[in-house]
Each structure stands twice: as structure tokens, then as C-alpha cells.
């Protein structure tokens, strides 16, 4: 019987090193036991991933010792290091060790430095000042670290900055923007301390704000001034007023955040306040061509008491709605569609919201316009949807939610020039091989009721 060939060992070293770059470094070192060719290969790895999960002090000390020895060996071999990724439960007693590792990255001109240091608030690692005078860094991701008394920032090559669970005050924002002439991507994940994200004078083209550490009052405001930003994403949990200022170059906006429900004594006029905040955002983003709304924004729109819409998104060509099709959201969905006269593409992610919601009653329906007579797409004007060409539906559950079927039937009836509707079913793994008896009914219902969209192609995907 022929002996199986070792295909991995026949690969060039450059390919093997690329494969090793995806592994934690302790696993990379273990590959030295595989065969003679792999014995010294780990010494030339330029991507170092040090990852440790256990929080007990004994295992943490072993991990720190392993990182120390690994960096010493790599330093002795004089090999180039491009990326260092450190992810472990940090404790204050390891401050000097982490600082040595960071200075190793600085002296070896590492291009990517990730410090994911989960810890208690009082144990946050203080980033050394030398790190802020660095012309080699291109990408960084820092979580649960701390800026302290940084006077000057000079990151001549930095293109991507991600920070999470860190205080990021207004003065530090300005220092980063001014000192990073190549910075294009900025992501703030559950940070706090800033009241004004002033990106004037920088080149940041994509800004992501994912939540904000809890504030004590609903009157708290954050202003975002980002004249160069083309892609803006607001997601996660907020409890404050967000004001957008000077975002005229924005072409894509994602408003997929949710608002923490206030205490009982703070709920007076709560939805009215949220509508004013949302209306101000619409005013700042009315020129954007690609817009995405999450469930919270849609629910706020549904709570609007007026039948007319005091805003319009006349330049919106692609609208994405991240919402289940339930009665509580239908009014908001219709109002957003009413405001999008020039819509060319509609994407609907029929996913449950991130926050608490009650289950929607699914009625038995035989007529597309018979659900309470309210909030149906038939309310749209006859001129609506003339430019709509494509509809994509994700997470469709068929007859598991009667309103989903009704909504798509309405959409086919009111869209005059629709060319394609793609429906992606949401099924669990065991359901893929078991046909649902209602599937044929859903398919026939949608194919037989195309109204004005007689030439539309309807595609179903599992």
C-alpha cells in the first residue's frame, strides 16, 4: 500500500508561514515537532498571535513567561515582525511585562499592534508615551487600555484605529486627528469621555461608533463633525442625543443603534424626544444614497402620530431595513418607503431586534389588504417605486409570520418596474432537508400576485 504524501511539507516556506499567521503563537511553536522542515520554521514567523483565556494567576504567569521567551528568541534571530496580537486577561502586576512587549513592537517597527486586555476598570493598562511617536504603525486595535497625559501624537503611517472600552476625551480626539495624516478608518466601541468627535482637518473616510458607555442623564449630547467621512455607522446601545454636523460627503449611512429604555420617571415624552433626534439626523443625511435603518429607528418612526412625513430622502437609491415584519413596525417601514421616491434597491433583513420586544400576533389572512386596514403598502402613492428595480429579502420565514407574506405581496402590487425579487429563506440546519408544507403556498401566492410588476423575476434561495 502506497504511503500517503505530506502535501503540507511540499509547500514553499512562504505559504507555510502564511498558514501559521492564523494560529495562536503557542500552536505555531508546537509545529516544530511535526518534522525536520518545520523545526525552525516558527522562528521566522512575522505574525505573532498571543492568545490566552484562563484568568487564574498561575496560568497567566506561564503565558507571560511564554511571551517573554518567544520575543527574546525572535529578537535573537533578527527576523522581521509585521503584526503582534495580544489577547489575554490583563492584571496590574503584568504592567511592566506588557510595556516591554509594546516597546519590542516599537523597536521592531511593527505595522499592526493589537492589545485586547480584558480587565477590571481599575486595572486598565496605561499605554506608554513612546507608542504615540511612531512612524511604522499602520493598524491598531486597543481594548481596555488607557491614555494618560499624552501631549503629542505622531502616527505618520496609521491608516486604521480601533479602540474599545476606553476613555477617549475631546482633546485626545483632536491630537489623534491632527497627528495621523493617513488615518482613514476610526472605530470607537463602547468608549466614553468625548462630547464632540471633531474630525475636521483629517482624512477619516469611515467612522464607526458602536455604543457609548452609560451616561447618567438623557440630556447628554454628542456632536459628530466629520466633513471627510463617506461611510458612517452608528450601532450598539446609546442613551444620549447624537447630533450630526457637516457630513455632506457621506454617501453611506448605517443607523442600526438602539436606545436604552429609561427609568419610569424619565419616560415622559420619551418617544417624542427620540423622534426629534431622528428627524435631525434625517436632515443631516438627506443627501445620502445608501442608507440602513435598524429596528429602533423604525419603531420610533412607527410611533409618529402624523400621517404625513416631515422629511424626505430624495437621493436615497439603496435602502436597507433591519427589522422583522411585525405590526408594531409596519407604520415606520411604510413611512420610510414613502420618503424614498427615487429608490432603486430595497434590502430587508427580517431579523429580530437587539432589544426587548413582544411577540407579534400572526393573523390568518385571505386578502392582502385585510389586516386592520392600517399601514399597508397600498397607502403609497401611485408614483412611488417607479425606479425600484431590485428587492432582496433575508431571513424570510414563509408562513411562520403571516405579515411577511402580506408585505411582499403588497410590494409586488405597488412596484411598477420591479425586475427582480430575491427571497432568502431562514431555516435551521435540520429544516434544510425537510420541506415545509406551507412553502408551496407562499411561492404560489407571490408568483400569482405581481400586479404592476408583471415582468419581475422572483427567486427563492435556501
Amino acid at each position: 500500500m502506497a504511503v500517503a504524501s505530506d502535501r503540507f511539507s511540499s509547500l514553499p516556506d512562504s505559504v507555510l508561514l502564511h498558514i501559521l499567521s492564523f494560529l495562536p503563537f503557542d500552536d505555531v511553536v508546537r509545529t516544530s515537532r511535526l518534522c525536520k522542515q518545520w523545526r525552525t520554521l516558527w522562528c521566522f514567523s512575522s505574525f505573532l498571535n498571543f492568545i490566552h483565556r484562563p484568568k487564574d494567576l498561575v496560568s497567566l504567569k506561564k503565558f507571560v513567561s511564554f511571551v517573554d521567551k518567544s520575543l527574546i528568541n525572535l529578537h535573537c534571530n533578527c527576523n522581521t515582525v509585521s503584526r503582534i496580537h495580544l489577547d489575554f486577561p490583563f492584571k496590574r502586576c503584568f504592567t511592566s511585562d506588557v510595556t516591554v512587549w509594546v516597546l519590542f513592537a516599537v523597536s521592531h517597527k511593527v505595522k499592526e499592534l493589537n492589545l485586547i486586555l480584558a480587565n477590571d476598570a481599575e486595572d486598565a493598562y496605561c499605554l506608554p508615551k513612546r507608542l504615540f511617536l511612531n512612524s511604522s504603525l499602520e493598524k491598531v486595535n486597543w481594548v481596555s487600555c488607557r491614555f494618560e497625559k499624552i501631549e503629542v501624537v505622531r502616527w505618520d503611517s496609521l491608516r486604521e484605529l480601533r479602540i474599545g472600552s476606553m476613555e477617549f476625551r475631546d482633546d485626545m480626539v483632536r491630537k489623534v486627528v491632527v497627528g495621523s495624516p493617513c488615518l482613514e478608518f476610526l472605530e470607537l466601541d463602547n468608549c466614553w469621555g468625548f462630547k464632540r468627535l471633531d474630525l475636521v482637518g483629517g482624512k477619516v473616510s469611515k467612522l464607526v461608533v458602536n455604543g457609548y458607555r452609560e451616561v447618567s442623564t438623557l440630556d447628554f449630547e454628542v456632536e459628530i463633525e466629520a466633513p471627510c467621512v463617506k461611510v458612517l455607522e452608528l450601532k450598539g446601545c446609546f442613551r444620549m442625543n447624537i447630533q450630526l454636523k457637516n457630513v455632506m460627503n457621506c454617501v453611506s449611512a448605517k443607523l442600526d443603534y438602539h436606545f436604552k429604555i429609561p427609568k419610569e420617571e424619565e419616560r415622559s415624552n420619551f418617544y417624542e424626544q427620540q423622534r426629534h433626534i431622528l428627524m435631525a439626523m434625517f436632515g443631516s443625511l438627506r443627501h445620502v444614497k445608501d442608507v440602513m435603518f435598524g429596528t429602533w429607528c423604525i419603531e420610533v418612526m412607527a410611533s409618529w402620530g402624523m400621517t404625513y412625513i416631515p422629511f424626505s430622502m430624495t437621493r436615497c437609491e439603496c435602502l436597507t431595513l433591519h427589522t422583522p415584519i411585525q405590526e408594531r413596525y409596519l407604520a415606520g417601514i411604510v413611512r420610510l418607503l414613502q420618503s424614498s421616491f427615487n429608490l432603486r434597491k430595497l434590502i430587508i433583513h427580517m431579523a429580530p431586534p437587539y432589544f426587548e420586544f413582544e411577540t407579534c400576533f400572526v393573523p390568518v389572512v385571505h386578502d392582502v389588504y385585510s389586516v386592520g386596514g392600517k399601514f399597508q403598502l397600498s397607502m403609497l402613492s401611485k408614483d412611488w417605486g417607479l425606479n425600484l428595480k431590485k428587492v432582496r429579502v433575508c431571513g424570510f420565514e414563509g408562513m411562520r409570520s403571516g405579515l411577511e407574506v402580506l408585505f411582499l405581496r403588497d410590494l409586488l402590487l405597488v412596484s411598477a418596474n420591479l425586475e427582480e425579487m430575491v427571497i432568502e429563506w431562514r431555516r435551521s440546519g435540520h429544516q434544510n432537508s425537510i420541506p415545509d408544507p406551507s412553502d408551496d403556498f407562499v411561492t404560489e401566492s407571490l408568483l400569482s400576485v405581481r400586479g404592476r410588476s408583471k415582468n419581475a423575476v422572483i427567486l427563492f434561495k435556501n
Side-chain angles (χ1 to χ4, degrees):
M1 183 174 66
V3 179
S5 60
D6 181 3
R7 295 186 179 182
F8 270 109
S9 296
S10 63
L11 294 173
D13 285 353
S14 59
V15 176
L16 294 176
L17 287 170
H18 180 70
I19 295 173
L20 293 180
S21 70
F22 296 98
L23 299 176
F25 198 68
D26 53 346
D27 290 337
V28 174
V29 175
R30 289 191 184 100
T31 61
S32 61
R33 304 173 186 173
L34 295 176
C35 65
K36 184 176 181 180
Q37 180 187 354
W38 291 74
R39 189 169 300 166
T40 59
L41 191 63
W42 71 272
C43 297
F44 301 96
S45 178
S46 59
F47 297 91
L48 311 181
N49 299 318
F50 297 104
I51 302 173
H52 185 75
R53 292 288 177 260
K55 296 182 179 181
D56 62 284
L57 193 58
V58 174
S59 65
L60 281 172
K61 286 182 177 179
K62 290 181 180 179
F63 169 76
V64 170
S65 176
F66 170 74
V67 177
D68 285 337
K69 292 177 181 178
S70 301
L71 295 182
I72 290 172
N73 287 331
L74 292 167
H75 176 73
C76 294
N77 291 328
C78 299
N79 64 311
T80 302
V81 179
S82 298
R83 182 184 72 201
I84 294 180
H85 180 93
L86 290 162
D87 183 353
F88 77 105
F90 173 78
K91 295 184 182 298
R92 189 180 299 177
C93 59
F94 301 124
T95 297
S96 59
D97 300 282
V98 176
T99 298
V100 170
W101 305 341
V102 171
L103 296 181
F104 173 92
V106 173
S107 61
H108 284 71
K109 298 183 178 180
V110 169
K111 295 182 179 180
E112 181 177 350
L113 178 61
N114 301 325
L115 302 173
I116 317 299
L117 308 180
N119 55 61
D120 298 326
E122 62 272 13
D123 283 343
Y125 173 69
C126 183
L127 297 164
K129 293 182 180 180
R130 279 189 60 187
L131 188 57
F132 296 87
L133 301 175
N134 189 302
S135 59
S136 301
L137 282 176
E138 296 180 2
K139 296 173 63 177
V140 300
N141 183 7
W142 298 334
V143 176
S144 298
C145 298
R146 181 160 50 95
F147 301 121
E148 186 170 321
K149 297 180 180 179
I150 304 301
E151 297 179 0
V152 180
V153 174
R154 194 178 70 208
W155 289 327
D156 297 333
S157 303
L158 189 67
R159 295 181 291 104
E160 298 183 12
L161 173 62
R162 294 176 172 88
I163 62 174
S165 300
M166 293 173 60
E167 186 178 34
F168 195 40
R169 292 188 175 276
D170 293 348
D171 59 334
M172 194 62 196
V173 173
R174 289 305 302 159
K175 290 173 184 177
V176 168
V177 171
V178 173
S180 310
C182 299
L183 185 62
E184 298 175 347
F185 178 86
L186 176 61
E187 179 173 355
L188 307 178
D189 187 358
N190 198 33
C191 293
W192 72 95
F194 58 91
K195 294 183 179 179
R196 189 166 186 262
L197 281 179
D198 184 358
L199 306 184
V200 176
K203 295 184 178 179
V204 177
S205 59
K206 182 173 181 178
L207 173 64
V208 179
V209 182
N210 187 2
Y212 193 99
R213 182 68 65 88
E214 186 172 346
V215 294
S216 58
T217 172
L218 290 173
D219 296 331
F220 189 80
E221 292 186 355
V222 170
E223 182 181 286
I224 298 177
E225 185 168 4
C228 291
V229 165
K230 295 182 178 179
V231 179
L232 174 66
E233 294 185 12
L234 301 178
K235 55 186 181 179
C237 182
F238 294 99
R239 196 173 186 264
M240 61 192 183
N241 180 3
I242 300 176
Q243 294 185 355
L244 302 180
K245 183 179 178 181
N246 193 8
V247 288
M248 291 306 297
N249 284 316
C250 185
V251 296
S252 176
K254 180 178 180 179
L255 305 181
D256 198 16
Y257 66 92
H258 60 280
F259 208 91
K260 186 172 182 179
I261 303 298
K263 299 176 182 178
E264 189 68 34
E265 61 270 16
E266 296 178 317
R267 292 186 183 180
S268 177
N269 300 321
F270 173 66
Y271 272 106
E272 184 178 353
Q273 293 174 358
Q274 290 301 302
R275 285 193 293 269
H276 287 308
I277 293 172
L278 202 55
M279 289 303 99
M281 284 191 184
F282 284 144
S284 300
L285 299 172
R286 59 183 178 274
H287 61 283
V288 179
K289 293 184 178 181
D290 185 351
V291 186
M292 188 270 196
F293 291 102
T295 313
W296 174 257
C297 295
I298 294 172
E299 182 171 1
V300 172
M301 290 306 305
S303 68
W304 194 273
M306 295 178 288
T307 56
Y308 70 93
I309 305 175
F311 66 91
S312 64
M313 298 185 295
T314 55
R315 296 190 182 181
C316 180
E317 297 180 359
C318 179
L319 177 63
T320 302
L321 303 177
H322 188 154
T323 177
I325 306 300
Q326 296 176 357
E327 188 171 357
R328 65 182 291 177
Y329 305 118
L330 277 175
I333 294 171
V334 172
R335 284 169 179 155
L336 287 172
L337 292 177
Q338 281 179 320
S339 69
S340 307
F341 303 108
N342 296 317
L343 197 61
R344 297 179 180 273
K345 185 175 182 179
L346 175 63
I347 302 172
I348 306 171
H349 291 272
M350 294 182 176
Y354 305 127
F355 49 90
E356 250 180 63
F357 68 103
E358 65 264 15
T359 305
C360 179
F361 171 69
V362 181
V364 178
V365 181
H366 302 286
D367 190 324
V368 71
Y369 296 121
S370 64
V371 184
K374 295 182 178 180
F375 308 144
Q376 300 306 295
L377 294 184
S378 56
M379 293 169 58
L380 297 173
S381 67
K382 294 182 178 180
D383 296 332
W384 182 88
L386 293 177
N387 296 317
L388 184 62
K389 303 295 182 181
K390 295 184 178 181
V391 174
R392 179 187 169 206
V393 181
C394 307
F396 182 67
E397 291 187 322
M399 289 306 294
R400 293 174 182 83
S401 173
L403 290 181
E404 290 181 340
V405 181
L406 289 177
F407 179 84
L408 295 181
R409 290 181 67 184
D410 274 359
L411 197 58
L412 287 168
L413 285 167
V414 300
S415 303
N417 300 312
L418 191 65
E419 296 176 354
E420 179 181 88
M421 177 181 283
V422 178
I423 301 173
E424 300 176 6
W425 294 78
R426 178 168 62 206
R427 306 179 191 273
S428 58
H430 69 278
Q431 287 179 322
N432 287 331
S433 57
I434 304 176
D436 191 312
S438 65
D439 289 359
D440 291 338
F441 174 77
V442 172
T443 304
E444 292 174 4
S445 298
L446 295 180
L447 290 176
S448 62
V449 186
R450 277 186 275 192
R452 301 165 72 192
S453 305
K454 296 180 179 180
N455 298 320
V457 176
I458 303 176
L459 302 176
F460 293 88
K461 293 184 178 181
N462 290 322

